[in-house]
Structure formats: C-alpha cells, structure tokens
Amino acid sequence: MLKLNKLTDQEIIGQLFIVSINADKMKTRADRERFARKYFNKYPPGGLLVTGRSLERVYATVQWAQAISKVPLWIAADIERGLAGIYAGGTDYPHFAMAGAAGDPELVYQMGKGIAAECRAIGINLLFSPVVDLLTENIIINIRSFHEHPE
C-alpha cells in the first residue's frame, strides 16, 4: 500500500497535474526516456491524458507509464462515442443526440457500460464524458448532448 506521507513535496505537487502524452510518438525506448525525464523526474504527474490513434500504442504507453510511476496514475481520455471516436479500433457508438432521441434510458446506460468496459481494457480510468450540456443552438454542443430537456 502506498503511503502518501512518504512522498516528497515535489511528488505531492505533481499529483495535482495531468499531462498530455501522444502514444503514437512513444515508439522507442529513447522516446519514453525523454518523456520520463521531462515529466516524471522532479514533479511526477498524477495522471496522463492519452492521445494518439493506435489502440496498441495507447495500451503499451499506459502500461509503461503505470510501471514507472511511484503512484498509480489517472489515465484520462475524452471518449464520448467509444474508443473508435478518437482511436483506431473499438466500438463506434452513436453520438449522444442519437442515443437521447431513442428515448430509452436503458440503451444509454448499456452504451455507457460498454464504453467503460473498453476503456478499462486498455487502462483508461478517467473519462471526460458524458457531456451533460443541454442541446441548444450552440454548434459545439450540438450532437454531443443527449437532449434539450434536463430530465
């Protein structure tokens, strides 16, 4: 069991941060060592926001980062429509607006459960989803919202 009181002040400060890592750029040992020197030496982060396209590279990067971290990392991603929404592979779920339009909360629940299972399988444990904004004329929210009414 990790004892937080055994962390240095710098390690505690680092726990407040999530840094971005592009898994597709972590191809060689030198790439990983360069990233580790930059982010894991003085202020090791509390988590990583993993970008890239290759699921295999994402998985390998997550495993490597967890292995070198003194504290278990939050592995974050902005996944709204399943892994296929940002990575090459995984299930491609419908946009939230389509799921909301079906009018079936059980369908939305099962969709969320499936997305969570796929994320867990590659090591992602912090999702920036679902978006709970209401459907409005805002072009950014648009199909990312379940419905225009909060209920």
Side-chain angles (χ1 to χ4, degrees), residues 51-112:
T51 63
R53 287 296 298 153
S54 165
L55 276 179
E56 293 80 16
R57 183 80 54 208
V58 168
Y59 178 79
T61 299
V62 167
Q63 297 307 306
W64 162 78
Q66 291 289 20
I68 69 164
S69 182
K70 189 174 182 179
V71 176
L73 295 166
W74 288 110
I75 304 297
D78 189 10
I79 295 176
E80 294 178 15
R81 295 182 31 238
L83 297 180
I86 62 170
Y87 304 127
T91 305
D92 190 9
Y93 289 90
H95 289 282
F96 288 166
M98 292 177 68
D104 183 358
E106 180 63 22
L107 174 71
V108 173
Y109 172 78
Q110 292 301 326
M111 186 173 113

Side-chain angles (χ1 to χ4, degrees), residues 75-149:
I75 304 297
D78 189 10
I79 295 176
E80 294 178 15
R81 295 182 31 238
L83 297 180
I86 62 170
Y87 304 127
T91 305
D92 190 9
Y93 289 90
H95 289 282
F96 288 166
M98 292 177 68
D104 183 358
E106 180 63 22
L107 174 71
V108 173
Y109 172 78
Q110 292 301 326
M111 186 173 113
K113 195 172 173 182
I115 291 169
E118 286 188 348
C119 289
R120 189 179 318 115
I122 64 167
I124 295 170
N125 56 24
L126 176 61
L127 297 180
F128 298 128
S129 174
V131 174
V132 294
D133 292 323
L134 296 178
L135 182 61
T136 64
E137 293 182 22
N138 182 324
I139 194 165
I140 295 171
I141 302 304
N142 199 349
I143 58 177
R144 298 174 65 206
S145 170
F146 287 106
H147 207 273
E148 61 188 3
H149 299 292

Side-chain angles (χ1 to χ4, degrees), residues 12-66:
I12 291 169
I13 291 168
Q15 291 304 296
L16 300 173
F17 297 92
I18 293 177
V19 298
S20 181
I21 185 169
N22 184 330
D24 292 340
K25 293 183 179 180
M26 298 292 117
K27 295 179 180 177
T28 67
R29 183 178 180 164
D31 296 332
R32 292 185 295 276
E33 287 174 355
R34 191 170 28 260
F35 186 88
R37 275 194 309 276
K38 184 174 182 179
Y39 292 106
F40 278 83
N41 284 348
K42 189 170 183 182
Y43 298 100
L48 300 174
L49 174 65
V50 184
T51 63
R53 287 296 298 153
S54 165
L55 276 179
E56 293 80 16
R57 183 80 54 208
V58 168
Y59 178 79
T61 299
V62 167
Q63 297 307 306
W64 162 78
Q66 291 289 20

